[in-house]
């Protein structure tokens, strides 16, 4: 049975970086993977500029083919995006845009209701205003869940990904984790990983922090069009 992994979160939370790093890990482990860019708000701010690079790794990439519809006006979606589950047998990773409908964007996907193994990761960057503290994160969880409350449309786990771009410090990362830990305790939604730039490897004494796995990310998104 295949797995559909969905990465969602606020603008600049790091969901795209986490999604594509996860896709690369599949390839490194000799597994087939399809990576779907489902950003219907600002597709040029997502995976499209990295399409050739990602395909060179052996990742099957599905996204918009051009820049039509930039900005809050949104953009079209392609038949390939809509049918990314129906006509595809691979494990699938979906990068969902931060638009006003949140996870309701997934309702356009043919076959999503039949999937048996969906994992939804909410990527949290506490340096963003929308998710700066416990109260705002709790509000964002409700906002991101959308209006269509289907049974499968629930957060499987959080990814703690507090960062300030190149200005990020170790202290920022730990501060963000501690805030998210409070939310995790209140909601009973686990934290599945702490994601950090690979430059912080020397700052962590192991691959875990407080028993939470630490994921060291290669930064690809700065090469995209921002």
């Amino acid at each position: 049975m295949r797995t559909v992994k969905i990465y969602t979160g606020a603008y600049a939370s790091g969901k795209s970086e986490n999604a594509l790093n996860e896709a690369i890990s599949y390839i490194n482990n000799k597994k087939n993977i399809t990576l779907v860019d489902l950003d219907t708000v600002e597709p040029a701010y997502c995976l499209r500029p990295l399409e050739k690079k990602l395909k060179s790794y052996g990742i099957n990439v599905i996204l918009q083919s051009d820049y039509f519809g930039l900005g809050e006006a949104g953009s079209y979606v392609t038949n390939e995006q809509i049918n990314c589950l129906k006509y595809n047998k691979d494990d699938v990773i979906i990068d969902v845009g931060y638009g006003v409908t949140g996870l309701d964007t997934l309702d356009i996907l043919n076959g999503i209701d039949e999937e048996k193994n969906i994992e939804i990761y909410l990527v949290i960057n506490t340096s963003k205003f929308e998710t700066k503290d416990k109260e705002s994160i709790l509000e964002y969880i409700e906002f991101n869940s959308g209006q269509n409350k289907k049974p499968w449309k629930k957060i499987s786990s959080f990814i703690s990904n507090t960062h300030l771009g190149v200005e990020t410090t170790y202290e920022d990362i730990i501060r963000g984790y501690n805030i998210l830990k409070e939310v995790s305790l209140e909601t009973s939604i686990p934290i599945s990983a702490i994601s950090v730039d690979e430059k912080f490897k020397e700052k962590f004494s192991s691959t875990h922090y407080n028993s939470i796995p630490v994921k060291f990310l290669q930064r690809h998104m700065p090469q995209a069009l921002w």
Side-chain angles (χ1 to χ4, degrees):
M1 180 172 62
R2 73 166 172 196
T3 300
V4 176
K5 295 184 177 182
I6 297 163
Y7 287 80
T8 184
Y11 176 70
S13 61
K15 56 188 174 54
S16 298
E17 198 75 88
N18 275 272
L20 69 87
N21 269 266
E22 178 71 1
I24 292 171
S25 74
Y26 268 76
I27 296 300
N28 289 340
N29 287 298
K30 311 299 182 185
K31 296 179 180 179
N32 294 330
I33 189 66
T34 292
L35 176 61
V36 183
D37 183 348
L38 203 62
D39 190 336
T40 60
V41 178
E42 292 181 298
Y45 288 176
C46 221
L47 301 179
R48 183 190 180 281
L50 301 174
E51 180 180 8
K52 289 183 180 178
K53 179 179 181 179
L54 295 173
K55 285 184 175 180
S56 74
Y57 294 148
I59 299 169
N60 180 30
V61 184
I62 297 176
L63 35 65
Q64 289 96 337
S65 59
D66 57 44
Y67 289 108
F68 175 81
L70 297 186
E72 294 297 338
S75 69
Y76 70 94
V77 290
T78 67
N79 285 333
E80 191 177 16
Q81 286 171 302
I82 292 170
N83 292 303
C84 65
L85 300 176
K86 188 172 183 179
Y87 301 117
N88 176 38
K89 297 185 182 300
D90 292 348
D91 284 344
V92 178
I93 295 171
I94 302 175
D95 177 12
V96 180
Y98 68 94
V100 294
T101 59
L103 290 173
D104 284 349
T105 303
L106 297 168
D107 293 339
I108 68 172
L109 302 183
N110 286 335
I112 186 72
D113 290 319
E114 285 75 49
E115 291 294 329
K116 304 300 184 185
N117 193 24
I118 296 176
E119 298 175 5
I120 300 179
Y121 302 96
L122 180 57
V123 182
I124 297 293
N125 177 2
T126 60
S127 294
K128 298 295 296 178
F129 175 79
E130 299 92 333
T131 51
K132 65 182 184 299
D133 53 28
K134 184 178 79 169
E135 290 72 25
S136 60
I137 294 171
L138 290 171
E139 289 179 5
Y140 190 81
I141 292 170
E142 178 62 24
F143 162 79
N144 192 63
S145 67
Q147 299 298 313
N148 188 351
K149 310 295 185 184
K150 293 188 177 181
W152 55 264
K153 201 176 292 179
K154 59 184 179 180
I155 305 302
S156 304
S157 66
F158 297 119
I159 294 178
S160 181
N161 192 55
T162 290
H163 69 91
L164 288 160
V166 295
E167 298 179 2
T168 307
T169 67
Y170 175 79
E171 289 72 25
D172 293 327
I173 296 166
I174 301 306
R175 171 184 58 80
Y177 164 73
N178 286 330
I179 293 171
L180 190 56
K181 183 170 65 172
E182 293 182 37
V183 180
S184 177
L185 290 171
E186 182 163 328
T187 61
S188 298
I189 299 173
I191 301 174
S192 58
I194 302 170
S195 292
V196 304
D197 191 305
E198 61 182 355
K199 71 182 182 182
F200 288 102
K201 278 186 177 181
E202 293 183 359
K203 290 286 188 178
F204 290 87
S205 57
S206 73
T207 56
H208 288 72
Y209 179 85
N210 280 5
S211 301
I212 304 297
V214 179
K215 275 177 66 174
F216 297 105
L217 303 179
Q218 293 182 351
R219 296 191 71 215
H220 300 275
M221 291 307 294
Q223 302 167 43
L225 177 64
W226 290 94

